[in-house]
Amino acid sequence: MGVGDLFILLIFWGFCLQAHVAISQKNDTCNSNDLRALEGFMGSLDSGIEGWGFDNTSSSSLCCSWVGIACESSRVVELNLGKKRLNGVLNESIADLDQLRFLNLSQNSLIGQVPMKLFQMKKLETLDLSYNDFLGVMTQEIDLPSIGFLDLSENSFAGTIGTGICLNSSRIQVLNFSMNYFTGTFPVGFGNCTTLKHLVLHSNSLSGNFPDDLFSLRNLNRLDVQFNQFSGLLSDRIGNLSNLVELDISFNGFNGALPNVMGNLQKLEFLSTDSNQFNGTLPTSLSNSPSIKVLNLRNNSLSGPINLNCTSMVLLNTLNLGSNQFHGPFPDSLSSCQKLRSINLARNNLNSQIPESFKNLQYFSYLSLTNTSLHNISSALGVLQHCRSLSIVVLTGNFYDEEMPSDAKLKFENLTALVIANCRLTGLIPQWLSGSTKLQLLDLSWNHLSGTIPDWFGGMKFLFYLDISNNSLSGEIPKSLSKMESLISRNISFDEATEFPFFIKRNQSARGMQYNQILSFPPSLDFSDNMLTGQIPPDLGDLKQLHRLDLKQNSISGSIPSELSGMKSLEILELSRNNLSGVIPPSLNNLSFLSKFDVSYNNLSGKIPQGGQWSTFPNTSFEGNKDLCGDYSNPCSRPERIPLSPTKTRKNTIEVGMVLSIGAGFAVGIFVFGYTLLFKESWRYAYFVFIEKMHRGISMFLKVKMAKAKEYFRDKAR
Ligand SMILES: *[C@@H]1O[C@H](CO)[C@@H](O)[C@H](O)[C@H]1NC(C)=O
Ligand SMILES: *[C@@H]1O[C@H](CO)[C@@H](O)[C@H](O)[C@H]1NC(C)=O
Ligand SMILES: *[C@@H]1O[C@H](CO)[C@@H](O)[C@H](O)[C@H]1NC(C)=O
Ligand SMILES: *[C@@H]1O[C@H](CO)[C@@H](O)[C@H](O)[C@H]1NC(C)=O
Ligand SMILES: *[C@@H]1O[C@H](CO)[C@@H](O)[C@H](O)[C@H]1NC(C)=O
Ligand SMILES: *[C@@H]1O[C@H](CO)[C@@H](O)[C@H](O)[C@H]1NC(C)=O
Ligand SMILES: *[C@@H]1O[C@H](CO)[C@@H](O)[C@H](O)[C@H]1NC(C)=O
Ligand SMILES: *[C@@H]1O[C@H](CO)[C@@H](O)[C@H](O)[C@H]1NC(C)=O
Ligand SMILES: *[C@@H]1O[C@H](CO)[C@@H](O)[C@H](O)[C@H]1NC(C)=O
Ligand SMILES: *[C@@H]1O[C@H](CO)[C@@H](O)[C@H](O)[C@H]1NC(C)=O
Ligand SMILES: *[C@@H]1O[C@H](CO)[C@@H](O)[C@H](O)[C@H]1NC(C)=O
Ligand SMILES: *[C@@H]1O[C@H](CO)[C@@H](O)[C@H](O)[C@H]1NC(C)=O
């Protein structure tokens, strides 16, 4: 058991203790019917419930003192078992708690149908069954006259959504049916839930359009229907929902113009229509909305100029108009939206420069202008450096064939991520970047940058993702890189929230929403496709936290340092198409997370290490090395001879020697050696089974991470 596990256990234990203390203050005896119902419920679970036990010494039992239960006059009125890791089915007995007002079984592993009787509890006010695996269809006959809060989200309910609840539940305020498999249209009938405040239906497969009666919900303040298949025009009558605070219809198929009724939605703070097919121009009521804080119209077909009236839009802090057909010039007026923190105008045709007035945006921290036909990078950076809070800047796909500014006075002290990829920029990796001491992520790939990789990268305390691939960089890999703190130990606390506020995406596996963060990028050094020479500095082995090292397509020579085995977290090692010679150091066996390894097209020789993850690498990882032999198409001739490279270190030699003697020991069958070997082999087998499993997990994880990373840089046209 690791220290981490112990820590979690301790926390858990502490939590249990606390729960006990809080509840045992109350009268402990409970009604015998209630006791029987609880017994029945507990009996239907596969897991026990910690802290539930029966007292056989007296006639009435002490169930009111059990964890998660609250009583009033001996009757159970509250059952709060959220996140207790319960598993099993939910049987009807629980519905016999006829005084129950609060039932929370959220975040367990409960399965099966929800028993009908549960939907007939007269006193129930709160029912939270979220994050379980309940299935089946929703009953139309719901008789919960007291219910105010019903959460069935993240289960496996299917079929159509029933609105029966609106007939008998005159107090309902919150309905959350999100993240299920509901199909069919948006049902008619919610209009009778006149007290409804939150209607959350996102991440299902609902289609059609909004029914008319929806627009009669005057109290509605949150309507979330993102990630469904709704289509058609968005009715003007949405303006009747005058209490809306949050409207999210993203990732559906709505089309036509955005209704010009935002003037009626005077409380609207959050509007997202991301990824629909809206066209036409920005409605004036929207571009003058005094209440909007977050406006996300990304990935539609909106056109015309971006003419927000910042005199009216005083609260706007997040603006995402990316991937539309808005045209330039760059909206000068934006600079008067003083609260703006984040702007994404990527993939529109602005065809201009960043205006001088942007200097005024003092709270401004996130900017993406990918593929917006900007020009004049010198002036762009000159302006942006005045935005003191700027943290994330993405300028990919602009400024074609310009020169990277080298003005030593440029200063971006609060920058955490800079992406200027795919711009065909000439010049050098700029010295002024060394002043951005908070930098975590730098991507200057796919440019025409020349010169060497600067030494000062080694001193960048927080930098953990460095992609300068596909340039014309020359010279050697600086030894100083082995000092990059963030790649040695990552227990650095990142003070600021570094969330990319956009790219909210449905996570395929968990069906949840997901925010991309800088921290979700894998720690990487990508120097591929340059003209680097010299040797791989052995000290790079110190980078224990590095996940990906890509040096392919350079002119790197010398041997592969056995010290690279120190990169304990390495998942991808790409060394193909260089001039590397010598053997593949057997010490690389220690890289237990390695899932991709490529040394093809070098001058390597000797035997490919055997066993473990080595058997999972394809032959193409080794081809194009004349003197390399092993399992693949070029078997080693016997007797085996492992040429030792002249630059090999002592440690390496010893390890090769060990492998040889163990091999010999096995062949000759010397007892002592054989015994050791057996022990070692069985241990190793278990280890590799474990590692295999880890690999699969990790490489899936990495794939997801890389996919996420690629999403930002999609337009690099690789
Ligand atoms: C606890 O409840 C029982 C049964 O209703 C009752 O007889 C007893 O008086 C109560 N005790 C206290 C301290 O309230
Ligand atoms: C619930 O399950 C338990 C254990 O299987 C059983 O004893 C009890 O009778 C069931 N109750 C109902 C109402 O089905
Ligand atoms: C309950 O009864 C069992 C045996 O019937 C006994 O071992 C146990 O100690 C009793 N529990 C209490 C709290 O008295
Ligand atoms: C139910 O419990 C979960 C986990 O403890 C908690 O997150 C959730 O807010 C609770 N639901 C209600 C309605 O209180
Ligand atoms: C509504 O409640 C009444 C009386 O409580 C009941 O007869 C009726 O079946 C309920 N309707 C639904 C749809 O559950
Ligand atoms: C469902 O939506 C309600 C209302 O907005 C919210 O309070 C609740 O936390 C949501 N449930 C989950 C599991 O997110
Ligand atoms: C509300 O329910 C009644 C039936 O009880 C129905 O006649 C009426 O059309 C419903 N109203 C709406 C707005 O759906
Ligand atoms: C509802 O919206 C329609 C269309 O925008 C409008 O004609 C009507 O007056 C609105 N009704 C109310 C009560 O606001
Ligand atoms: C953009 O929206 C379309 C639907 O209009 C969707 O298919 C596509 O996946 C979206 N693209 C992104 C990157 O979200
Ligand atoms: C918007 O799209 C609709 C169909 O979805 C089309 O009929 C209409 O002409 C389009 N309007 C503009 C301004 O492109
Ligand atoms: C911008 O908003 C201000 C304040 O609401 C208003 O006086 C002005 O007329 C608006 N300008 C335009 C062009 O709509
Ligand atoms: C920017 O950095 C400076 C110096 O490191 C710091 O004083 C200032 O608070 C930062 N500003 C923001 C908004 O983070």
Side-chain angles (χ1 to χ4, degrees), residues 215 218 235-242 261 264:
F215 302 121
R218 293 296 141 75
S235 167
D236 274 0
R237 293 199 57 198
I238 197 86
N240 290 157
L241 299 174
S242 52
V261 294
N264 299 353

Side-chain angles (χ1 to χ4, degrees), residues 681-697:
E681 281 296 329
S682 60
W683 179 82
R684 267 198 190 175
Y685 179 74
Y687 178 67
F688 279 127
V689 168
F690 170 71
I691 290 303
E692 267 310 304
K693 292 201 166 143
M694 288 285 284
H695 263 166
R696 240 171 271 154

Side-chain angles (χ1 to χ4, degrees), residues 538-549:
D539 290 349
L540 286 188
D542 293 345
L543 302 178
K544 286 196 265 310
Q545 296 294 327
L546 188 66
H547 287 222
R548 195 176 130 226
L549 177 62

Side-chain angles (χ1 to χ4, degrees), residues 54-57:
F54 295 91
D55 172 13
N56 46 9
T57 56

